[in-house]
Structure formats: structure tokens, C-alpha cells
Amino acid sequence: MSELKSLLYQKIEEHRPRVANLLQKYGDVKIADVTVSQVLGGMRGIKSLVTDISYLDPNEGIRYRGYTLPEVFEKLPKAKGSEMPYVEGLFFLLLTGEMPTDAQVHEVINDFSNRRILPRYVYEVIDAYPCCSHPMSIFSSAIMTMQRESFFNRKYKTGLNKMDYWDSTYEDALNLIAKLPEIASYIYAKLYRDGKRIQSNPALDFGANFAHMMGKGKPYDDVSRMYFITHADHEGGNVSAHTGHLVASSLSDVYYSTSAMVNGLAGPLHGLANQEVLRWLQDMREKMGGEIPTEAQMKQFVWDTLNSGQVIPGYGHAVLRKTDPRYTIQREFCLKNMPDYELFKYTDLLYKVVPQILLDQGKAKNPWPNVDAQSGIIQWYYGITEFDFYTVLFGVGRSLGVLANIIWDRALGYPLERPKSITTDMLEQLAGVKK
Ligand code: HAX
């Protein structure tokens, strides 16, 4: 058994009694009341999910296993000559809660490498898609196609003990994660590079191999590592993480759950916002004829967007109430690597003007930028200008967190998710509007 799996097993054994104790002795303890506006308002702030993998503080931003993002980037092992940590190290941290050693990370790198080969039929499914399809729909289908490989399903049919669900789910999850860079880069090759596939290199880690298959050298390997790590997890309630958890709660396998997660990510209020930012910026760039806008012109452009009833993509958040640290990490990368880049100047100017405009408009609860305000600029700078593809990158990263969560869901025996709905009549009665 790998060190990762045996350490995980030990952690699961330690954790199970905590959940059992809570349920047996403290099951009736009240956590909070729920208001009408929460029920009608997308369940904002209702504490009804548990995950130990990450926690989102509205003012501080995300912590992975208790570590802030800057700490994660500082403490995780890095390849020689790289500024960004190995993605495999992050997965180790998410699963076990422990910072891995270099040797532990290399064991995961080898493990992923051994699981990376895609069945031929996945390429055929990708090839069969009509040319104008969105990369996210192809990504979702490619994952779905592999459902027949599910180890968990095969074991379940033979009469699997509930305590052992996590083991085959772990195998499925690692098999899937290891294949995602291959799937994503082939979708890119198929849609935008005449289908010219670059074979993976088994000697490379997750980030470097993805860069290699995208036809990019350094520093795109670090860009990929940074991208996958910053997008990996954002606690349990966001649409993608929640969808993955929800679908898996019916004991659907990780292929069904991850494909569903990807579908949730593909909406413009969630992961697709990264492509919307670029679409919006390119529109502005066209109007400016290549000139950098003045502050006044930028303000006008932002107001025009708001006045036409659209949202400013990349700004606002359902939980965060400050600048997203995922934005800050990427902004610092830009300041270091592309301070004079035209599009970076656009985003920098937006950072200056948008928050005050959103405050003046008085609607958005959070006027600050989120992860998507900055990420596409970096991709564009390194030659990935097909912005429809950006959410696929998000999906590869988000799979790390979602799958780590699903393994733990199985380990702790979390039940089928089934909240209660009520009618508008009942709400009116509860509010005292109707007798
Ligand atoms: N531009 C314009 N208006 C905005 C806004 C923005 N960026 N953010 C919020 N608002 C508006 C809302 O549309 C809402 O208007 P109505 O009352 O007319 O419906 C009002 O302000 C209150 O919304 P809120 O409570 O502040 O925000 P929500 O929790 O409802 O929504 C969203 C959070 C992220 C969906 C929202 O801020 C938004 O649409 N942002 C732009 C799209 C975006 O960047 N999405 C990515 C978010 C991060 C993420 O998940 N990445 O994957």
C-alpha cells in the first residue's frame, strides 16, 4: 500500500469515532435558525455541510487544511528551479491534512504517472464531438465515458461492506485525477490545434506534463501548478463542490459525480466567469483600438455594462467579503512576470475602479475581485488565447478537492443528501402573511 493510502487509512480510523460521538451524543444540539431570505436566497450561509479539507472565511479567504494559500505555496515541496509546488503534494495535503515530504510527493507523482494512460475510446469520444462544441461539454462527456472503468461499482455489485467504500473510491479517484491532464490537453489539441496530440511524458509531474502536452515549456509548468492549486477547493457549498458531493451521496461513482461537478462549474456565475472576463476585456480592447483606457474611460465601460443589466465578471462572491486571496496570488505572479503586459494593465485598472463602482451601485454585497478576474490574463499571456477553454483548466484543478472530499464522504459514511423543500404557501404561513 502506498504511503498516501496507508496514512489516509490511519486518519480515517482516527476520525470515525469523532463523527460517531457527535451523532450519538450531540445529535440534537442546535446549530442555527434559518430565515425566509436564506430559503429564498439560494441557501446563503446555512451551515449544513461538513468538510475538513478546506474552510472559507469571508474576510480571510480559503484555507486548505488550516493553511492559508500563501502558506500552502510556501510550504509544499517544489521541483528544482520551480517557483510553484507540485500539484501532487497539494493532493496529499488535502487528503491527509499533512504537509508531505519530498519523498511522499514523489511517490504520488509515480502513482499518477502509472495511472495516466487514457483508454482509446476516450479519444474517440472527443473526436466524435462536433467542432463548435464547448470544451466543458466535451470535458464532462470524456469523464462520463470512463464510468465503465469504475472499480467501486464492480466491488459494490459483489457486496461491499460500507466501511470499505472509501478504498475502491480512492482507487477510482486517483485513476481519474491522473487522466485529467491528458483529457484536457487533448480537448485543446482537438479544438484548436488540428487534433495534433502531444504524447504525455511519464517522467514529468502533473503540472509539467500538462504544460508539455499543451506544447508549452517553462514557465507554463509553474503557471499550470499555480492554476490547479489555487482552484482546487473552496469548501463544500459552492456549486461544483456541492454538486460533486450531492451526486456521490447516492453512491454514484466518481465518474458520474465529477462529470456532474464539471457541469455545475460550466455556468457563468461560477467557473465560466473566467472566460467571461476575457470576452468582456477583449470587447473593451476592441473598442479602445489597442489603447490603454484612461480611468474615466474604464469607469464608463464598467457603468455601461452594469446599466445594460449585466454583471461585472470576476467581481463579487457569495461568501467572500474581501479581495480573494486566489486573485492576489495570481496578481503577484503578474506583477513579477508581466508587469507591463497590456491586458494586465486593464485588470489592474479594473481593480482600481470596479469596487467603488459596485459600492456606489449599492447591490453587490462584495465589490472585490474573485479568482476569475485575473486567471485568464495569465493564460492569454502564455499563448492560450482560446478563452472558452479556461474553465476546463478550472475543472482539472477543482477535481482535486472534489475527489478528496468524496473519498472522505465515503470513509465517514455520510448519508444520502436530502434536504426538505416547502411550498410558497407554507412560507407565507410561516412568515405570518397567510393564516
Ligand atoms: N456585478 C454586478 N452586479 C453584481 C455583481 C457583479 N459582479 N455581484 C453581485 N451583483 C448583484 C447581484 O446580481 C444581485 O443583484 P440582484 O439583486 O439584482 O439579483 C446583487 O448584486 C446581490 O448579489 P450578492 O448577494 O452580492 O451576490 P450573490 O451571492 O447573489 O452572487 C455571484 C455571487 C458570484 C454570483 C455574483 O457576485 C456575480 O454574479 N458575480 C459575477 C460573476 C462571477 O464573477 N462569478 C464567479 C464567482 C466566483 C466563482 O465561483 N468562481 O468560480
Side-chain angles (χ1 to χ4, degrees):
M1 198 189 277
S2 70
E3 264 201 60
L4 172 61
K5 196 169 179 183
S6 61
L7 180 60
L8 175 64
Y9 178 64
Q10 181 196 323
K11 298 275 172 189
I12 290 170
E13 291 289 299
E14 286 165 11
H15 202 108
R16 279 176 171 161
R18 293 173 61 194
V19 178
N21 183 47
L22 279 168
L23 270 173
Q24 280 157 17
K25 295 196 189 140
Y26 305 98
D28 293 331
V29 172
K30 207 167 168 185
I31 310 261
D33 291 321
V34 176
T35 64
V36 171
S37 66
Q38 284 179 305
V39 172
L40 288 177
M43 299 190 279
R44 292 291 182 284
I46 300 178
K47 295 185 178 81
S48 52
L49 293 162
V50 184
T51 170
D52 298 291
I53 287 169
S54 67
Y55 180 75
L56 181 59
D57 180 88
N59 292 308
E60 184 191 60
I62 193 69
R63 278 181 185 254
Y64 293 157
R65 290 287 189 176
Y67 294 99
T68 63
L69 267 192
E71 286 166 350
V72 165
F73 279 94
E74 188 209 317
K75 290 181 194 296
L76 280 176
K78 299 177 181 69
K80 226 182 190 170
S82 292
E83 284 181 35
M84 299 296 165
Y86 289 117
V87 174
E88 290 86 342
L90 174 83
F91 186 64
F92 191 105
L93 172 67
L94 294 180
L95 258 190
T96 65
E98 293 201 3
M99 275 295 165
T101 62
D102 215 43
Q104 286 170 325
V105 172
H106 277 90
E107 195 190 36
V108 184
I109 292 174
N110 287 335
D111 196 357
F112 280 1
S113 180
N114 292 335
R115 297 171 190 258
R116 79 189 189 289
I117 299 292
L118 268 187
R120 172 175 289 277
Y121 62 79
V122 181
Y123 295 108
E124 290 168 358
V125 166
I126 295 172
D127 286 344
Y129 256 79
C131 67
C132 54
S133 303
H134 194 281
M136 282 299 271
S137 81
I138 309 179
F139 189 46
S140 171
S141 300
I143 293 168
M144 198 61 269
T145 312
M146 289 190 294
Q147 191 276 332
R148 66 197 282 280
E149 310 291 337
S150 172
F151 188 44
F152 171 80
N153 270 342
R154 255 176 284 148
K155 296 282 268 184
Y156 190 81
K157 281 182 201 150
T158 64
L160 195 55
N161 185 312
K162 193 174 176 182
M163 299 305 271
D164 298 330
Y165 286 174
W166 74 271
D167 190 314
S168 45
T169 301
Y170 171 96
E171 297 300 330
D172 278 351
L174 267 71
N175 283 337
L176 177 55
I177 291 171
K179 292 174 177 58
L180 294 176
E182 304 253 354
I183 295 175
S185 58
Y186 186 61
I187 292 171
Y188 185 79
K190 176 72 193 165
L191 290 180
Y192 312 116
R193 295 290 180 269
D194 299 324
K196 287 194 191 94
R197 175 159 79 95
I198 300 173
Q199 296 276 352
S200 64
N201 178 346
L204 296 176
D205 64 273
F206 198 91
N209 205 14
F210 178 71
H212 159 74
M213 290 185 287
M214 291 291 286
K216 304 278 172 200
K218 281 185 176 297
Y220 194 73
D221 55 345
D222 263 345
V223 170
S224 304
R225 294 184 188 108
M226 174 178 72
Y227 205 96
F228 297 145
I229 292 173
T230 43
H231 290 78
D233 209 31
H234 222 219
E235 72 170 35
N238 65 80
V239 171
S240 52
H242 188 192
T243 305
H245 165 81
L246 170 68
V247 174
S249 84
S250 74
L251 295 188
S252 284
D253 60 56
V254 304
Y255 298 96
Y256 282 122
S257 314
T258 309
S259 176
M261 169 290 269
V262 164
N263 297 344
L265 193 64
L269 296 187
H270 191 15
L272 206 80
N274 59 11
Q275 86 165 47
E276 292 307 299
V277 169
L278 257 290
R279 188 196 305 283
W280 186 61
L281 281 181
Q282 291 305 334
D283 181 31
M284 189 189 316
R285 201 183 195 187
E286 216 164 273
K287 285 184 179 135
M288 290 305 302
E291 296 282 310
I292 305 286
T294 61
E295 206 169 306
Q297 285 169 319
M298 186 62 97
K299 281 181 179 167
Q300 191 56 50
F301 189 77
V302 173
W303 272 117
D304 288 348
T305 302
L306 288 175
N307 290 336
S308 66
Q310 299 169 67
V311 296
I312 307 300
Y315 280 76
H317 200 272
V319 178
L320 278 167
R321 293 297 175 258
K322 283 274 161 62
T323 295
D324 190 337
R326 302 173 299 174
Y327 173 87
T328 309
I329 294 253
Q330 296 181 82
R331 179 179 152 77
E332 280 163 7
F333 182 90
C334 291
L335 283 168
K336 187 167 173 198
N337 295 286
M338 55 184 87
D340 299 323
Y341 182 45
E342 181 199 354
L343 274 178
F344 177 59
K345 290 193 170 152
Y346 272 64
T347 44
D348 214 27
L349 196 48
L350 282 170
Y351 192 26
K352 236 180 177 174
V353 305
V354 172
Q356 191 54 52
I357 292 177
L358 287 177
L359 285 172
D360 291 344
Q361 193 205 27
K363 278 171 65 176
K365 292 189 189 69
N366 174 39
W368 301 105
N370 60 55
V371 63
D372 298 315
Q374 190 79 76
S375 60
I377 313 304
I378 302 174
Q379 295 298 328
W380 191 284
Y381 180 78
Y382 288 104
I384 312 295
T385 54
E386 300 83 1
F387 47 71
D388 280 11
F389 185 69
Y390 295 168
T391 316
V392 174
L393 300 173
F394 195 153
V396 173
R398 182 52 53 93
S399 301
L400 298 161
V402 167
L403 287 163
N405 270 293
I406 292 174
I407 295 167
W408 271 98
D409 290 346
R410 294 274 201 269
L412 299 176
Y414 286 148
L416 180 83
E417 194 177 298
R418 197 353 180 147
K420 182 84 187 83
S421 60
I422 53 177
T423 65
T424 309
D425 264 349
M426 290 172 187
L427 258 191
E428 284 171 337
Q429 279 161 19
L430 284 165
V433 179
K434 267 190 179 174
K435 288 278 171 280

